[in-house]
């Protein structure tokens, strides 16, 4: 049982997969939803302060390095583009836009991308963490509901 929880915790920390993938995996593994939800939230939020404080600096440093330059450049562009889109749509309601960007579970949105975008936009650290946390909570609820529907349909037939 511990190993299953470890896996969903780890999956929820992986960029682009995050808790959007971890919650359905938890249900496929037959884990109880409430503890799984909590573990996925913690796993998804754990990298957020590190991303905010260090990712931008690392990506800027690495963008002209031989082996990692392409990857760093990709994430700088992706984060910058996401930040510009957020800012264009949000104006002065950047907090709400970040919350919704992270909270609506579609590919390319999530805690990693949202936090990087907020960092590139020089958004306040505390405001970023709160908006991303609320977004992760919302995404988790949406994924739980979708997982129940999916696995209920599969198991019910």
């Amino acid at each position: 049982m511990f190993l299953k929880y470890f896996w969903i915790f780890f999956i929820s920390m992986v960029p682009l997969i995050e808790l959007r993938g971890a919650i359905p995996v938890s249900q496929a593994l037959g884990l109880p939803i409430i503890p799984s939800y909590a573990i996925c939230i913690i796993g998804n939020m754990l990298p957020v302060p590190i991303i905010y404080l260090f990712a931008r600096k690392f990506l800027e440093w690495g963008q002209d390095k031989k082996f990692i330059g392409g990857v760093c450049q990709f994430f700088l562009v992706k984060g910058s583009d996401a930040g510009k889109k957020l800012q264009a749509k949000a104006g002065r309601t950047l907090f709400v836009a970040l919350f919704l960007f992270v909270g609506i579970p579609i590919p390319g949105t999530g805690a990693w991308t949202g936090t990087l975008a907020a960092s590139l936009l020089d958004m306040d650290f505390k405001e970023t963490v709160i908006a991303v946390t609320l977004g992760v909570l919302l995404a988790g609820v949406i994924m739980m509901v979708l997982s129940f529907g999916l696995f209920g349909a599969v198991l019910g037939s």
Side-chain angles (χ1 to χ4, degrees), residues 1-8 29:
M1 181 73 89
F2 174 78
L3 188 59
K4 290 179 182 179
Y5 282 118
F6 171 78
W7 277 114
I8 63 167
L29 293 173

Side-chain angles (χ1 to χ4, degrees), residues 55-74:
R56 179 180 182 176
K57 293 173 185 159
F58 173 78
L59 294 173
E60 288 172 349
W61 169 84
Q63 69 183 340
D64 60 352
K65 303 300 184 254
K66 184 175 181 179
F67 294 108
I68 61 171
V71 173
C72 290
Q73 189 68 23
F74 170 80

Side-chain angles (χ1 to χ4, degrees), residues 49-114:
I50 297 162
I51 296 164
Y52 183 89
L53 297 172
F54 301 111
R56 179 180 182 176
K57 293 173 185 159
F58 173 78
L59 294 173
E60 288 172 349
W61 169 84
Q63 69 183 340
D64 60 352
K65 303 300 184 254
K66 184 175 181 179
F67 294 108
I68 61 171
V71 173
C72 290
Q73 189 68 23
F74 170 80
F75 283 110
L76 272 174
V77 169
K78 184 168 178 57
S80 182
D81 288 349
K84 287 175 187 171
K85 286 179 187 174
L86 274 176
Q87 199 162 36
K89 289 180 181 178
R92 296 189 323 177
T93 57
L94 194 54
F95 178 90
V96 174
L98 180 60
F99 157 65
L100 292 174
F101 180 82
V102 174
I104 298 173
I106 57 176
T109 68
W112 281 75
T113 308

Side-chain angles (χ1 to χ4, degrees), residues 106-126:
I106 57 176
T109 68
W112 281 75
T113 308
T115 303
L116 180 58
S119 172
L120 293 171
L121 290 172
D122 294 319
M123 197 171 159
D124 179 66
F125 176 77
K126 184 178 176 182

